[in-house]
Amino acid sequence: MKTRFSPSLLTWLRCFEAVARCGSFTRAAQELHITQGAVSQQIKQLEGWLDVALLKRLPRDIALTSDGERLRQVVSDAFHGMDAVIDEIRHRRVVAPMEMICAPSFAMRWLMPRMGEFFRCHPDIPLRIQAEVQSLDYTAPSGKNVDAIISFVPEQAAPGTSAKVLDEWIFPVASPDFLAMHPEIQRPQDLRPGILLHDDAAWQGAPAHVEWRTWLGHAGVALPDLHQGQRFNLSQLAVGAAMAGQGIAIGRAAVVFEDVLAGRLVDVFGLFAPSPASYFFATHHQASAPIAALLEWILSEANAFRQRRDQHFAQAAAANARCASPQLRMMGSGL
């Protein structure tokens, strides 16, 4: 017949194990935070239930009977095992989150809106993202842990160990209200330096006005005095100024795609230029399952975005070809 471990039996056994280990009713009572009389009573109840003597009560000490010694070994092992498992469960070490540095505008406008899906797919991978402009060979200072970096850099500046996440395309964007107030802007040749908004640090070491110069060169337009336009230190700030009606910014597709689709920004000319820089992922740590899962997820999301982006590019190009006038082309273009 199997023994049913009732709450009373478990209490008796816990008292017995403490007495056997401590060799004293007094020390066992102190450990269990009960009175010596309560300990003695629990032992008597256990002996009565077993109908055997477990302890020899000596004048100044106690000793285990042969049955008591057999029970001590089993009970001691059982309680030690339970204590170890319970302690492990309750005090399981919290895994430190992975730390990833990410190009700020890309982090805010492309990565963060998608992170909910990452955490749904990988609830066991804690991840903290820091928006900073850093090179892919960035070395964290002492006391700061960095597991991965996503940087916006030209391909020739990316280490061979890095992974290209997403290429980038650039084009002028403005608010609908700004364009309504400037109907004279119908072609790239109509742009004036004073209304252009610049990211003054497109990437580390980037030449001044590099994104506007790249797009203007693609459009075949020579525009002097680019320094007259407003300058910002983040693409998202320049785009935010454009959204507020302060001028025309160069939009990176990954940063402005959703805003153009929603009508908050307008793709001014429907003319897209490949950016000199792309987004690259790098890690200085040895390959690990969490880092591999993060990179795989980012590449999957980037591939899905690229397909949507390129489809809209093709649709915009087809729509522009059908437009009869530059003004219709300007107002009718979406990504």
Side-chain angles (χ1 to χ4, degrees):
M1 180 177 177
K2 292 184 178 180
T3 300
R4 296 178 62 86
F5 286 88
S6 66
S8 295
L9 177 57
L10 290 172
T11 300
W12 302 339
L13 290 172
R14 173 55 92 181
C15 281
F16 170 74
E17 186 276 337
V19 170
R21 176 166 42 81
C22 296
S24 163
F25 285 97
T26 302
R27 289 193 293 271
Q30 292 172 347
E31 179 178 292
L32 297 172
H33 303 288
I34 58 178
T35 66
Q36 180 178 338
V39 172
S40 179
Q41 184 63 30
Q42 299 291 340
I43 299 300
K44 287 180 180 180
Q45 288 178 312
L46 177 60
E47 290 178 320
W49 187 78
L50 292 172
D51 198 24
V52 296
L54 299 172
L55 300 176
K56 297 177 182 177
R57 293 161 177 80
L58 306 176
R60 296 181 178 275
D61 203 354
I62 61 169
L64 296 174
T65 66
S66 59
D67 287 328
E69 179 60 28
R70 289 175 58 203
L71 184 61
R72 182 200 66 79
Q73 293 177 0
V74 173
V75 170
S76 178
D77 290 343
F79 277 117
H80 278 304
M82 285 190 292
D83 286 344
V85 171
I86 291 171
D87 187 71
E88 179 185 350
I89 292 173
R90 292 188 60 208
H91 303 94
R92 184 175 293 151
R93 183 175 63 89
V94 177
V95 178
M98 283 198 301
E99 301 277 354
M100 182 170 73
I101 290 177
C102 187
S105 296
F106 184 73
M108 290 185 286
R109 302 300 300 159
W110 190 91
L111 185 61
M112 291 313 300
R114 293 167 167 80
M115 285 308 302
E117 182 63 23
F118 175 79
F119 291 124
R120 281 190 291 271
C121 294
H122 301 284
D124 57 332
I125 301 180
L127 173 64
R128 183 159 50 202
I129 297 173
Q130 304 174 45
E132 296 180 19
V133 177
Q134 297 290 357
S135 63
L136 291 168
D137 58 0
Y138 168 75
T139 300
S142 177
K144 181 178 180 179
N145 180 58
V146 175
D147 297 288
I149 298 177
I150 295 179
S151 287
F152 184 60
V153 296
E155 189 156 358
Q156 61 270 23
T161 55
S162 62
K164 187 174 182 177
V165 170
L166 182 65
D167 61 330
E168 186 59 283
W169 289 72
I170 54 177
F171 49 94
V173 293
S175 70
D177 289 344
F178 181 88
L179 293 178
M181 293 173 60
H182 296 82
E184 74 280 3
I185 302 175
Q186 301 184 16
R187 305 171 303 160
Q189 291 81 356
D190 298 326
L191 292 170
R192 304 187 306 277
I195 63 172
L196 305 188
L197 307 171
H198 302 272
D199 175 3
D200 209 27
W203 59 84
Q204 282 192 335
H209 319 122
V210 61
E211 290 182 305
W212 266 113
R213 292 185 186 279
T214 297
W215 184 87
L216 289 168
H218 188 76
V221 174
L223 191 63
D225 301 323
L226 290 179
H227 63 276
Q228 294 181 15
Q230 293 186 58
R231 299 160 64 180
F232 304 86
N233 71 333
L234 289 176
S235 175
Q236 181 57 27
L237 292 178
V239 168
M243 199 178 301
Q246 297 175 24
I248 302 177
I250 281 292
R252 300 172 191 162
V255 175
V256 303
F257 188 83
E258 302 300 336
D259 291 318
V260 172
L261 291 185
R264 293 183 290 269
L265 289 170
V266 175
D267 162 23
V268 181
F269 302 112
L271 180 61
F272 316 107
S275 170
S278 298
Y279 302 98
F280 289 84
F281 178 101
T283 178
H284 303 308
H285 292 250
Q286 292 183 344
S288 68
I291 290 176
L294 175 61
L295 176 57
E296 181 181 8
W297 176 82
I298 290 173
L299 291 174
S300 176
E301 289 293 320
N303 185 58
F305 172 78
R306 186 184 300 107
Q307 292 178 12
R308 291 179 61 213
R309 178 200 68 188
D310 293 352
Q311 181 181 6
H312 279 279
F313 281 173
Q315 292 173 350
N320 290 336
R322 292 192 299 268
C323 288
S325 71
Q327 181 66 16
L328 288 175
R329 181 166 61 250
M330 177 188 72
M331 299 304 294
S333 65
L335 276 177

